[in-house]
Amino acid sequence: MSAQGKKVIGWGVVIIVFTILAALSVTPAAAQKKNKNAAPAPAPANTTPKRMDVNKEYLVWPNPPAIARIHWIDEFTGEKVDDAAIKKVTKPKQSWMDRLAGAQPVSQRQTKLPFQLMRPYGVAFDSKGQIYVADQAAGCIFVFNPESRYDVQMIRNKYEANFGFITGLAIDDSDRIFVADDKNGWVVVIGKDRKQEGTVGAGQIVRPGGIAIDYENRFLYVVDTGNDAVYVYDADSLKYLRKIGVPGKKHTLTEPGTFSLPSGVAVDKEGNVYVTDTMNNRVEIFDAQGNFISTFGKIGDGPSQFTRPKGIAIDSDGHIWVIDAVQSQIKVFNKEGQLLIHIGEPGGWPGQFQEPWGIAIDHKTNRVVTSEQWGGRVQMFRYVTDAEAEQLRKEKEALTSPSVASTNQPKTVSTAQQASATPAKPDQSAPAQDKTNK
């Protein structure tokens, strides 16, 4: 081929390339112009789940007109969930450049999910009123700010501490944390700096459960569910002191002062010890030296009966709060074992429970928190003390008393007074009288 022919072919190739490029540059503009004339696409549907809005004013027990003794306040489930951030983004297929670079498909990329309660057991308050929750499934202790639902911190396994299956939880007056480790058979001690300091009960405890601290007598009580006993340690030196119950009988004992798979423990202001004897469906009371005092409760589904009592706590008035796991209720008794009030039923709404386990009461604020194994939730209530209830009763009686009612009524004038004060008009009184007679 001659040089002139090659030159013509070369110019032809250049013209074709420029033609293609021009077509490609015009196509998006034309498409955009066409889209402007088309009807606008409908807005995407809002797929964000609706949040439950609860009117706290009506969540009280007992119901009006009685004076409320328990108010529902809030619930805690974990860190805040951003539905838009964790929504899975799907992509039909990757480009050849993504495949060549080995990039992971968008639909397979993992997003950091917020930590949520999964199977909470023990609950406790520290000196600042913060709520601590031992979550066995999540493998950490959640720390909630009661004033801000999503202000959450964590004490994590293999980071701040080392534990297996955690259950019971207690905090002393110096904010040291004691958490029962069911898997390793001991109690983990965590300092106020939230770093592990040591363990208690290694080689002695089989399956630790509930924990309680006597601030006055400086005793640390640890329920050994697996050994049917309660072990007592010095709360400061952590030295073993004594035991309550008869261990090693394989959950067969029913005599007063013995246990069968006990769960929870609590201490009142006088140092008396309260233990939920779960399989015997009762609460047993001991003095500070471990001597048996009394017991109350029996198996049944009645309001004052128990079906697997678990957590237990004492309020500032000395009332005994007991978690009934099967009946999904909180039951409140006096020291004689008389039922004062009970709340709850199975369910996931506020004031309902799903396999509740732990309970704790902050005597400074009279806040009450409970944990639920199913559904992963902690609920917070407010206890109205006896003194507060008495003041409310007096205020209510004052408002409804006859003297106050008459004082609040608008002043009326009798018919006789009206007649003497205003001269009657004969031409107007007769029609009025006829109207009255009709």
Side-chain angles (χ1 to χ4, degrees):
M1 182 180 293
S2 64
Q4 185 176 2
K6 291 181 179 179
K7 187 176 182 180
V8 172
I9 293 175
W11 279 107
V13 172
V14 171
I15 293 172
I16 293 173
V17 170
F18 273 101
T19 303
I20 294 174
L21 291 176
L24 291 175
S25 63
V26 172
T27 301
Q32 187 176 3
K33 184 176 181 181
K34 183 177 181 181
N35 289 337
K36 287 183 178 180
N37 297 329
N46 184 10
T47 59
T48 303
K50 292 183 179 180
R51 298 298 182 187
M52 180 176 59
D53 189 14
V54 178
N55 190 336
K56 303 176 185 178
E57 182 181 352
Y58 300 104
L59 284 173
V60 297
W61 296 266
N63 293 326
I67 295 174
R69 300 303 304 271
I70 302 174
H71 293 255
W72 188 90
I73 301 299
D74 207 345
E75 65 178 27
F76 305 89
T77 57
E79 294 181 318
K80 187 174 183 179
V81 178
D82 187 347
D83 299 294
I86 65 174
K87 182 180 179 182
K88 182 180 288 187
V89 180
T90 59
K91 186 177 180 180
K93 55 185 178 181
Q94 295 173 281
S95 68
W96 65 271
M97 294 185 67
D98 291 335
R99 292 195 297 271
L100 183 63
Q104 195 175 27
V106 175
S107 59
Q108 297 179 8
R109 295 175 192 168
Q110 295 182 355
T111 305
K112 182 183 177 181
L113 300 177
F115 284 90
Q116 297 289 292
L117 291 173
M118 298 175 66
R119 194 160 65 245
Y121 277 79
V123 288
F125 288 95
D126 68 6
S127 62
K128 299 177 182 178
Q130 296 184 106
I131 304 167
Y132 289 65
V133 184
D135 193 301
Q136 188 177 104
C140 66
I141 299 173
F142 287 76
V143 184
F144 293 95
N145 178 358
E147 307 298 338
S148 179
R149 178 186 295 183
Y150 299 116
D151 183 1
V152 186
Q153 303 175 33
M154 283 176 292
I155 301 173
R156 302 161 297 174
N157 182 32
K158 298 182 179 180
Y159 289 89
E160 292 79 17
N162 293 282
F163 34 69
F165 298 149
I166 53 179
T167 52
L169 186 69
I171 301 176
D172 69 8
D173 47 4
S174 65
D175 285 343
R176 278 196 309 172
I177 305 166
F178 299 84
V179 57
D181 188 337
D182 192 322
K183 181 179 180 181
N184 294 313
W186 59 44
V187 174
V188 178
V189 184
I190 303 172
K192 62 183 303 181
D193 60 352
R194 298 182 182 174
K195 302 292 183 181
Q196 182 170 334
E197 294 181 348
T199 60
V200 181
Q204 182 181 40
I205 302 175
V206 178
R207 287 183 53 206
I211 305 175
I213 300 172
D214 184 343
Y215 299 143
E216 297 298 325
N217 297 310
R218 309 307 301 169
F219 294 146
L220 170 67
Y221 293 93
V222 181
V223 172
D224 189 343
T225 304
N227 217 11
D228 298 329
V230 176
Y231 293 107
V232 188
Y233 301 88
D234 186 288
D236 300 311
S237 67
L238 306 181
K239 179 182 177 181
Y240 171 73
L241 300 176
R242 60 180 177 272
K243 68 177 181 295
I244 303 175
V246 181
K249 298 300 181 179
K250 298 181 179 180
H251 327 308
T252 58
L253 299 180
T254 59
E255 295 81 7
T258 65
F259 309 110
S260 177
L261 293 174
S263 296
V265 60
V267 182
D268 66 14
K269 296 177 181 178
E270 288 75 34
N272 297 317
V273 185
Y274 302 76
V275 182
T276 49
D277 189 7
T278 302
M279 290 303 293
N280 287 325
N281 296 289
R282 63 188 179 186
V283 171
E284 298 197 78
I285 307 174
F286 303 83
D287 64 18
Q289 302 305 316
N291 301 309
F292 175 78
I293 297 177
S294 62
T295 182
F296 66 88
K298 62 180 180 179
I299 189 171
D301 57 3
S304 62
Q305 299 172 325
F306 294 125
T307 314
R308 304 296 182 263
K310 294 293 182 73
I312 187 169
I314 312 299
D315 65 29
S316 55
D317 291 320
H319 303 137
I320 307 161
W321 297 55
V322 183
I323 293 289
D324 192 309
V326 174
Q327 295 187 40
S328 298
Q329 289 184 341
I330 302 175
K331 302 185 177 186
V332 185
F333 301 84
N334 61 16
K335 292 183 179 180
E336 289 70 40
Q338 297 174 332
L339 180 69
L340 303 177
I341 191 173
H342 64 95
I343 71 171
E345 61 183 347
W349 291 96
Q352 298 178 336
F353 304 97
Q354 298 181 97
E355 294 189 30
W357 197 91
I359 184 170
I361 301 176
D362 184 3
H363 289 182
K364 296 178 182 179
T365 62
N366 292 307
R367 286 170 171 163
V368 183
V369 290
T370 61
S371 65
E372 300 169 60
Q373 297 179 59
W374 182 258
R377 179 176 62 162
V378 167
Q379 296 190 70
M380 181 170 66
F381 304 83
R382 164 71 160 82
Y383 164 62
V384 177
T385 65
D386 289 345
E388 290 174 323
E390 178 63 18
Q391 181 61 31
L392 291 171
R393 184 188 65 79
K394 291 180 179 178
E395 293 175 0
K396 185 177 180 179
E397 288 181 351
L399 291 173
T400 56
S401 63
S403 59
V404 174
S406 61
T407 303
N408 294 334
Q409 290 288 338
K411 188 175 181 179
T412 58
V413 181
S414 64
T415 305
Q417 291 174 327
Q418 293 180 13
S420 61
T422 306
K425 297 181 180 181
D427 57 335
Q428 294 180 358
S429 58
Q433 184 66 33
D434 293 342
K435 185 176 181 181
T436 303
N437 292 335
K438 290 180 181 179

